[in-house]
Amino acid sequence: MLIMSYVLFRLHLLKYWLLKEELLLKRTYYIFNNGELKRKDNTIEFYLEDGGRRTIPIEQVRDIYCFGQININSALISFLASRHIALHWFNYYGYYSGTFYPREYLVSGKLLVKQVEHYTNPDKRIILAKAFVDGASANIYRNLRYYKNRGKDLSDVMDEIDYFRNQINVADKVESLMGLEGNIRKVYYSAWNEIINQDIQFEKRVKRPPDNMINSLISFLNTMLYTKTLSEIYNTQLNPTISYLHEPGTSRFSLSLDISEIFKPLIVDRLIFSLLNKNQINEYSFHKETEFLQLKESAIKTIIAELDLRLKQTIGHRELKRSVSYLRLIRLEAYKLVKHLLGEKMYEPFKIWW
């Protein structure tokens, strides 16, 4: 009996490592050309408008981003669903249109009940909402400290953010936390003109529509992070429509918004600083007639290439005692949330420590 248990344990362990290895080998595919995406036997073919053809090995696909005018059919959708592959759509202007989210394959009724319970119970919800704001604001503060140590005059901004951060623990409503998060971001954005070397007057966050280069970059990269986070949530048992800081709503994956808040300073903001300070993105990266609303295709490709490099970047994880990529950190955050919901371990948000 003992031998049989040991064999079963080894088989489960082997299955886990094979699945993990498979996930590590997968990558994201980005399609910028116009054409048709079809299933061909047990793989994917992309037929370009000019008559060319590209094969996409299905075993290597984590998810697909479509920036061109792409035609698809039900056979492809069924095939992607069977392989648990999400498809993210962007329109002509580079703005997010939506996601084909395959039927969930890692389902847990127990976890779903716990997710709903932590949303409907105000005392339980506020704990998680506070954690998301605490993690996001701590990472914002870390960014500011990084640039302060490199000669930027940010002391007053950091003191003001400290003032708002001290109010997080005493907030008793989600609405109050959203207000604090908004104030922290407002103060943080006021420091960007000091951090960024290009002469861009960035005064406040404007979303619909963005009114300058920086707001356009924030909108585009925030959306990219939301979709990356959504793909990571899909590979857990979490339901992406039930959230705690952002209010759940119709036709949106609000849990992705919650978790993304924590990683914006590390992934989005630092990438924007780098792109602008290295002059990889400048006023010539936009179609001038659109008042900085539309990035050129070449600029989008540059941003995505740099984003992918950043997501592959690794750090030595303190608890796991091994190297972990930035993308993997997002999945680990989802796992930590699962443990909290099931009562196994209190959720503590990711905070930059280096």
Side-chain angles (χ1 to χ4, degrees), residues 41 125 155 299 305 345 350:
D41 299 324
R125 181 182 179 185
S155 296
K345 186 178 181 181
F350 163 79

Side-chain angles (χ1 to χ4, degrees), residues 221-233:
L221 278 165
N222 277 354
T223 300
M224 291 299 296
L225 180 59
Y226 294 151
T227 54
K228 297 289 183 184
T229 303
L230 178 60
S231 291
E232 294 306 303
I233 291 173

Side-chain angles (χ1 to χ4, degrees), residues 309-327:
L309 286 175
R310 190 160 296 258
L311 291 172
K312 291 174 183 176
Q313 189 173 334
T314 61
I315 52 98
H317 199 281
R318 285 176 166 178
E319 293 184 12
L320 299 180
K321 307 299 181 185
R322 61 180 175 84
S323 293
V324 173
S325 69
Y326 284 7
L327 183 62

Side-chain angles (χ1 to χ4, degrees), residues 32-266:
F32 290 92
N33 301 92
N34 298 335
E36 186 174 11
L37 201 60
K38 299 176 67 175
R39 173 181 181 175
K40 182 174 176 58
D41 299 324
N42 283 319
T43 191
I44 300 173
E45 295 280 353
F46 180 59
Y47 297 86
L48 287 79
E49 275 188 341
D50 62 9
R53 185 178 69 178
R54 301 286 186 275
T55 299
I56 303 176
I58 192 70
E59 295 82 7
Q60 297 178 11
V61 181
R62 180 191 299 273
D63 49 15
I64 301 173
Y65 283 71
C66 297
F67 289 91
Q69 300 295 313
I70 311 295
N71 294 322
I72 61 174
N73 57 29
S74 58
L76 175 71
I77 291 296
S78 297
F79 188 44
L80 294 178
S82 69
R83 295 302 185 107
H84 317 302
I85 296 171
L87 192 66
H88 305 292
W89 295 90
F90 290 75
N91 66 17
Y92 173 76
Y93 294 99
Y95 292 119
Y96 177 62
S97 298
T99 292
F100 163 66
Y101 190 79
R103 180 169 58 88
E104 294 175 341
Y105 70 107
L106 297 173
V107 294
S108 169
K110 179 180 178 181
L111 181 59
L112 180 60
V113 169
K114 290 294 184 181
Q115 265 193 269
V116 174
E117 178 186 325
H118 280 73
Y119 169 74
T120 56
N121 185 316
D123 294 333
K124 292 184 177 182
R125 181 182 179 185
I126 197 73
I127 290 172
L128 287 171
K130 285 181 179 180
F132 290 129
V133 176
D134 177 50
S137 61
N139 293 332
I140 283 173
Y141 193 88
R142 197 80 179 190
N143 278 358
L144 293 171
R145 193 174 79 174
Y146 173 87
Y147 283 97
K148 180 179 180 293
N149 291 339
R150 282 152 182 78
K152 301 294 184 179
D153 183 15
L154 301 173
S155 296
D156 290 345
V157 172
M158 294 171 71
D159 289 343
E160 198 170 351
I161 286 179
D162 253 340
Y163 168 76
F164 288 120
R165 290 197 69 216
N166 289 333
Q167 299 179 45
I168 294 174
N169 283 334
V170 298
D172 58 356
K173 293 182 179 179
V174 173
E175 292 78 11
S176 302
L177 284 168
M178 289 294 288
L180 286 172
E181 191 270 340
N183 286 331
I184 290 169
R185 274 275 169 186
K186 182 178 180 180
V187 175
Y188 175 47
Y189 286 142
S190 72
W192 281 33
N193 286 327
E194 177 71 18
I195 294 172
I196 295 169
N197 297 331
Q198 290 193 41
D199 184 19
I200 307 169
Q201 291 306 308
F202 177 57
E203 297 178 357
K204 62 180 180 178
R205 178 77 175 105
V206 178
K207 300 180 182 180
R208 300 182 181 87
D211 63 346
N212 59 36
M213 288 169 52
I214 293 178
N215 273 314
S216 289
L217 287 173
I218 293 173
S219 293
F220 179 74
L221 278 165
N222 277 354
T223 300
M224 291 299 296
L225 180 59
Y226 294 151
T227 54
K228 297 289 183 184
T229 303
L230 178 60
S231 291
E232 294 306 303
I233 291 173
Y234 177 69
N235 287 292
T236 73
Q237 294 179 316
L238 289 166
N239 185 301
T241 65
I242 303 170
S243 52
Y244 306 98
L245 178 60
H246 295 83
E247 195 65 34
T250 304
S251 302
R252 74 171 187 168
F253 302 107
S254 48
L255 184 60
S256 179
L257 303 181
D258 280 2
I259 295 176
S260 294
E261 287 295 331
I262 295 172
F263 292 97
K264 283 180 188 178
L266 174 65

Side-chain angles (χ1 to χ4, degrees), residues 260-273:
S260 294
E261 287 295 331
I262 295 172
F263 292 97
K264 283 180 188 178
L266 174 65
I267 296 172
V268 171
D269 301 347
R270 288 192 178 187
L271 180 54
I272 290 174
F273 301 153

